[in-house]
Amino acid sequence: MEELMGLLLGTLNLFYPLLIASVSLFIYALIKQSWGLMLISAIFLYPDVWYFSGSPRFPWAIFVPLIHVILAILLYLKKNKIFY
């Protein structure tokens, strides 16, 4: 796993592009109420929060994509009229 993250964040320098894409998709998914885009946003955010979770100051950062996943579930349930 560390080799993959090292490739994404170190060699390819995708730290900021993934962060910007994740935040942009998060906002767009909230506007469009799309659960699929919300999940893609969580996937894009994962390498960045994995990097931050290695820091002693931010061990909880690994749980941030769970916010995206929970919102995706709520949007899915709302869209299918199961919830709300």
Side-chain angles (χ1 to χ4, degrees), residues 42-78:
I43 292 168
F44 282 175
L45 187 64
Y46 184 73
D48 292 336
V49 299
W50 183 83
Y51 173 77
F52 279 121
S53 69
S55 170
R57 293 182 64 192
F58 305 109
W60 47 266
I62 198 72
F63 300 113
V64 172
L66 287 178
I67 296 169
H68 295 247
V69 173
I70 291 170
L71 285 174
I73 292 169
L74 291 176
L75 288 173
Y76 176 79
L77 293 176
K78 182 179 177 186

Side-chain angles (χ1 to χ4, degrees), residues 5 13-15 31 42 45 60 83:
M5 294 303 171
N13 291 326
L14 290 178
F15 182 82
I31 291 170
L45 187 64
W60 47 266
F83 175 72

Side-chain angles (χ1 to χ4, degrees), residues 21-41:
S22 175
V23 171
S24 301
L25 276 174
F26 178 78
I27 293 169
Y28 188 68
L30 283 178
I31 291 170
K32 291 291 187 177
Q33 294 187 354
S34 171
W35 63 271
L37 290 175
M38 191 66 72
L39 285 178
I40 294 171
S41 173

